[in-house]
Amino acid sequence: MTKKLRVAAYARVSTDKDDQANSLDNQRTYFSKYITQHEGWQLVNVFYDEGISGTQTKKRKGFMEMIAEAESGEIDLIITKEVSRFARNTVDTLSYTRELKKFGVGVIFTLDNIDTRQSDGEFRLTIMASIAQEESRKTSERVKWGQRRQMEKGVVFGRDLLGYTVKDGKLYINEEEAEIVRTIFHKYTNEGKGTHVIARELQEEGMRPKRIALWSNVVILRALKNEKYVGDLMQKKTITPDYLTHKKKYNRGEENMVYIKEHHEPIISRDLWERTQEELLRRSPSEKQKSKYSNRYWCSGKLFCAECGRRYISRIRKRKDGSASKTWRCIAAAQYGRKKQDADGEEIGCDNTSVNEESLKTCMNYCISLIQSERESLKKEILEEINYIRKKQDQTLDVKKLEKQIDQIALKKTKAIDLMLGGIISKEDLQSQTEWYNEKLEHLNKELADAKCREKLDNSQTDIMEQYIKALDDIMDIHGDNELIYKEVLERIDLHKGNILDIWLKEIPVGIRLKIKTSGKKASYKTEILETTFIEK
């Protein structure tokens, strides 16, 4: 008996449509009938996705499961109704059908009458996929145009926010949350408090933000700048420039925003809103200050608390003699103090200690000097690892040898067919011989795939090791205490309790754990390195 073709079907249905022709049950029935009409076919599965755009295959779970099963040899043929159901992106359509073809899997588009196994299949598929993609673009343009007209009429697009509920395109005040909004504006504008202080006080008072666990200065700032609280409505703050990827981005002038004044019932007065915007402008740093800030702190964004995982932020205090003292502190400790529970039982704060700026510089200088002194021994270890990898590669199956064996068996298969046609062997002998060749080819192809994967991995490891050696040589050229150099070579620092720091330098295969001790007055800190340990990345 001839082995039956294992056939899978793919359907994509839109959950927001009631059209029975597009329903999942209808398509399952359709595919079952279609497959049973063909002798030698058997239905493996009907894969499907609901309410997912056809322009992005990566987000379609059913589609990706089908591709994975096809590539693992569990499917011989895929049936789908039309190109637009398979994908509306021409590149994806062609790349996936070509990839499937490599594994011997064809795709039939029943309504478009296209079979990728045929010689003209790809040419016809390209035309139909391009038409489907163009239709998707036109649909996107029509939807955008319709949404904009609705926005201009005052229809609200979006979800609930702190203080408001969105229902049927309108904003309704949530009085319980609106009181929190009024508190934020009052504390900032009337009481003159900072955003960090407001965040801490709201948390301690048991007031909760929307959809997140904790308040932060960023959340407070967004609330203070949100025009909805004064009754105005601005839409198109974010846009989707690419209808294929559907990725949103902030609207930086690419499209005109839709602004409607006095659109809905406000939570705060116009006077308080205007005074708040003036206060935000007054407190915001100038472009010169921002540039100075970002250039000044060599370790900004690279210090992390090993206890709670949050970032460390800088704190600058003026001494009595007029000089400045800079320390770094966990942001959770800076906002909420020591570790504790708030009114709702949520854990806030952090017990980790702060670290002085000068101590960090001392540790960086020490680590660079240590790497310089240990350079030769580290290079020796890396070279030994590279030699081990290359030796292991020589001992494994050779890729070219496997490819040659596969070609030889494929040639024997062809010759066996010629022998059958010449009457030297029977059809039964040919079938038996072909099955043996197929099993052998399957085994060799698996070995080849494994060998290629190992080869790729080993080559990648070797490249990384060689980068390590180059990085070690580059560090030899570093001399003296220089913040610009520290910024360039530092990857990150993890700070533990008990004055323990894990320092990770870029492209260096190990980290350095330091236990330090600080002494002296704030005006003249001294840092002593007590213990040093190399740790693996």
Side-chain angles (χ1 to χ4, degrees), residues 311-329:
R311 289 184 300 106
Y312 262 59
I313 57 173
S314 64
R315 286 287 181 264
I316 299 176
R317 292 182 176 84
K318 292 284 186 181
R319 301 191 186 102
K320 290 181 180 180
D321 61 0
S323 60
S325 169
K326 182 161 60 174
T327 58
W328 292 82
R329 192 180 182 193

Side-chain angles (χ1 to χ4, degrees), residues 294-453:
S294 61
N295 292 330
R296 192 169 167 191
Y297 301 141
W298 57 274
C299 53
S300 290
K302 297 181 179 183
L303 303 183
F304 295 89
C305 177
E307 304 302 316
C308 71
R310 305 286 293 278
R311 289 184 300 106
Y312 262 59
I313 57 173
S314 64
R315 286 287 181 264
I316 299 176
R317 292 182 176 84
K318 292 284 186 181
R319 301 191 186 102
K320 290 181 180 180
D321 61 0
S323 60
S325 169
K326 182 161 60 174
T327 58
W328 292 82
R329 192 180 182 193
C330 173
I331 191 170
Q335 288 181 334
Y336 305 112
R338 295 185 65 81
K339 194 174 181 180
K340 55 182 175 290
Q341 289 187 337
D342 63 11
D344 290 336
E346 296 283 344
E347 201 170 78
I348 57 174
C350 183
D351 291 337
N352 210 346
T353 53
S354 58
V355 61
N356 182 267
E357 171 83 1
E358 295 306 317
S359 295
L360 290 174
K361 289 181 182 178
T362 300
C363 291
M364 281 297 296
N365 197 38
Y366 174 84
C367 287
I368 289 171
S369 299
L370 180 64
I371 293 294
Q372 288 174 338
S373 64
E374 297 290 333
R375 170 176 169 261
E376 292 306 320
S377 61
L378 286 170
K379 279 183 73 171
K380 185 180 178 182
E381 288 182 23
I382 293 168
L383 288 169
E384 286 175 356
E385 183 68 20
I386 290 174
N387 289 332
Y388 170 75
I389 292 169
R390 286 175 176 164
K391 188 176 180 182
K392 189 174 66 173
Q393 280 180 318
D394 294 337
Q395 293 171 348
T396 57
L397 288 169
D398 184 33
V399 170
K400 290 183 178 179
K401 184 179 177 182
L402 283 168
E403 288 175 340
K404 187 177 180 181
Q405 288 178 2
I406 289 169
D407 290 339
Q408 287 173 346
I409 290 178
L411 183 61
K412 287 179 181 179
K413 268 184 71 177
T414 305
K415 287 182 177 179
I417 295 171
D418 292 337
L419 290 172
M420 188 274 294
L421 293 172
I424 297 172
I425 63 174
S426 66
K427 287 184 179 179
E428 291 76 15
D429 289 337
L430 173 65
Q431 185 177 342
S432 175
Q433 193 70 17
T434 301
E435 286 177 0
W436 185 86
Y437 285 142
N438 288 340
E439 287 178 8
K440 188 70 175 174
L441 282 171
E442 186 178 351
H443 176 71
L444 286 171
N445 278 316
K446 188 176 182 304
E447 281 193 350
L448 178 63
D450 291 342
K452 283 183 175 180
C453 184

Side-chain angles (χ1 to χ4, degrees), residues 116-162:
T116 61
R117 298 172 299 176
Q118 296 175 351
S119 58
D120 65 342
E122 183 168 307
F123 173 71
R124 295 170 64 197
L125 180 61
T126 303
I127 294 171
M128 294 303 296
S130 299
I131 293 170
Q133 181 171 319
E134 179 61 16
E135 181 58 31
S136 182
R137 185 192 67 78
K138 288 179 180 178
T139 301
S140 175
E141 291 298 320
R142 287 195 294 268
V143 170
K144 281 184 178 180
W145 186 89
Q147 283 183 345
R148 187 168 189 88
R149 300 291 81 80
Q150 291 290 89
M151 288 177 182
E152 289 169 353
K153 291 177 183 178
V155 177
V156 179
F157 287 80
R159 57 184 180 177
D160 297 351
L161 68 155
L162 182 71

